[in-house]
Amino acid sequence: MSSSPDVARMKRELARLVAIDTQNPPGHEAPAAQYLRELLATEGFEVSFQEYKPGRINVVARLDSGAGPVFAFNTHMDVVPVGDGWSSDPFALTERDGRLYGRGACDCKGPLAAMLEAMRMLAADRAAWSGTLLGVFVADEEIASEGAKFYAAGRPKIDAAVVGEPTSNAIFSAHKGSLRPVVRVHGVSAHSGTPHLGENAIYRAGELLGLVAEHHDKVVRHHSHPLVGAASLTVTRINGGHADNVLPGACDLLLDRRMVPGEDEEAVKREIDQLLVVARERFGLRAEIVDYKATTGGATETAADRPIVQASLAASRAHGVTKPGPFGFQGACDLVHFSSVGAQGTVIGPGDLAVAHKPDEFVPVDEFITASLIYRDVAKAMLRN
């Protein structure tokens, strides 16, 4: 078998993956998982499913080649909703001007197809490496990373991992995390014709909005990291009132707190609790956290001197990436969940995050092919005899 990528096969498999509708919600990754099992079992991988909810499935492929470390490729099967504004069918991979268009082409079915090709090349050249090669392809990264969280909860042994996300094949070794508390501001309901008999929760929420903005400006944004930049606190949703003629007795705010590597989630929760204490002391405002919305997870970083970072940078440079990094994601991804089980890891993939989640999402053909070679070479470096 060849140790070079089969470009035609890569395009065929990406086309098939794009054609499988895994829009999240609802996800329903089962047909994609079945397709991956068929492909990987043919190459000699032992393939298992983790179905953590009906139709929500992780694929775990394993290939042992003697004693040695455990290395994992990881990315996700779900995609964001298609939306409007496409110039071609989002479920039919379309090639034009050196680009492959389709929902998920870069986030993240392009990286997934490139990882499949890398796994084939590695399976064909087992004499060049020793250890265990894993492919961990998960459900639900786009909403709450339920798939990766479920996988990590089993405490798998993984020494190093590459997470596939669109990075233009540069190396990202850190990412932000997120925390989303729902804060309920209380008022007193009354007839809207006699507002003096009540307390308008929306007005009271306005006082908290100002305090949130002040706290971001004076405190949160000063928590900074050299790769991912500043932490942040903002409000992304507001909901109050239940009738047109009733003074609202409650108003809910959804806060979005972006954390940087080094920040502790429990400490951030206490910080927000204290902010509500300040609101009570300053304004007499009654507010409480009533829920935390599920998010992808916390922040993480792999130190620049770790072997996975150095191997990733070397492979990226060797395959023509002029500015390989390392860099940091402003958003979040599943690397944090592999870090939680002790794996050192990086994020690498073809495509540009700037076109992900948009109409006419695409992956450049050259980056797509090159990614398979970078993935192969990083795995070899981490699985040396």
Side-chain angles (χ1 to χ4, degrees), residues 134-145:
L134 298 178
V136 182
F137 305 125
V138 298
D140 188 53
E141 188 270 351
E142 292 292 1
I143 292 181
S145 284

Side-chain angles (χ1 to χ4, degrees), residues 3 19 56 68 71 85 123 126 141 306 333 352:
S3 60
R56 310 307 301 272
F71 176 87
R126 291 190 219 184
E141 188 270 351
R306 296 302 302 273
C333 71
D352 187 341

Side-chain angles (χ1 to χ4, degrees), residues 82-268:
V82 165
D84 299 323
W86 287 78
S87 60
S88 58
D89 184 347
F91 295 114
L93 192 71
T94 303
E95 183 172 358
R96 60 180 185 271
D97 301 324
R99 297 170 172 179
L100 298 168
Y101 290 85
R103 177 53 89 216
C106 80
D107 189 11
C108 229
K109 292 177 176 178
L112 173 51
M115 285 180 169
L116 291 174
E117 192 66 12
M119 292 170 73
R120 280 198 189 90
M121 290 187 281
L122 291 161
D125 191 20
R126 291 190 219 184
W129 57 275
S130 182
T132 297
L133 174 64
L134 298 178
V136 182
F137 305 125
V138 298
D140 188 53
E141 188 270 351
E142 292 292 1
I143 292 181
S145 284
E146 286 186 343
K149 290 173 183 175
F150 185 87
Y151 177 73
R155 306 304 299 175
K157 180 189 182 300
I158 299 175
D159 297 295
V162 167
V163 176
E165 292 285 349
T167 69
S168 298
N169 288 335
I171 309 308
F172 283 65
S173 57
H175 65 71
K176 287 183 178 179
S178 55
L179 186 70
R180 295 196 182 102
V182 179
V183 176
R184 179 160 296 159
V185 179
H186 295 284
V188 177
S189 294
H191 193 290
S192 60
T194 54
H196 60 285
L197 298 179
E199 181 184 4
N200 193 317
I202 292 178
Y203 287 169
R204 302 313 308 270
E207 295 173 310
L208 183 57
L209 289 175
L211 189 58
V212 168
E214 176 186 312
H215 187 66
H216 164 80
D217 189 57
K218 292 185 176 180
V219 178
V220 176
R221 71 182 181 89
H222 296 289
H223 300 309
S224 189
H225 182 275
L227 295 184
V228 304
S232 62
L233 174 66
T234 191
V235 180
T236 58
R237 289 181 182 268
I238 184 167
N239 181 51
H242 67 278
D244 293 350
N245 60 349
V246 177
L247 206 70
C251 181
D252 289 353
L253 306 178
L254 179 62
L255 307 188
D256 185 295
R257 174 65 158 86
R258 296 292 166 143
M259 299 173 288
V260 299
E263 287 195 291
D264 176 72
E265 187 170 310
E266 292 304 313
V268 170

Side-chain angles (χ1 to χ4, degrees), residues 168-170 313-324 366-367 370 374:
S168 298
N169 288 335
L313 290 170
S316 185
R317 287 191 196 98
H319 290 286
V321 178
T322 56
K323 295 182 179 179
D366 57 349
E367 289 185 14
T370 298
I374 293 173

Side-chain angles (χ1 to χ4, degrees), residues 24 26 29 50 52-54 56-58 78 138-153 294-297 334 337:
N24 189 12
E29 295 88 352
Q50 294 180 334
Y52 65 88
K53 285 182 180 177
R56 310 307 301 272
I57 294 174
N58 295 335
D78 62 319
V138 298
D140 188 53
E141 188 270 351
E142 292 292 1
I143 292 181
S145 284
E146 286 186 343
K149 290 173 183 175
F150 185 87
Y151 177 73
T295 70
T296 303
D334 281 339
H337 306 300

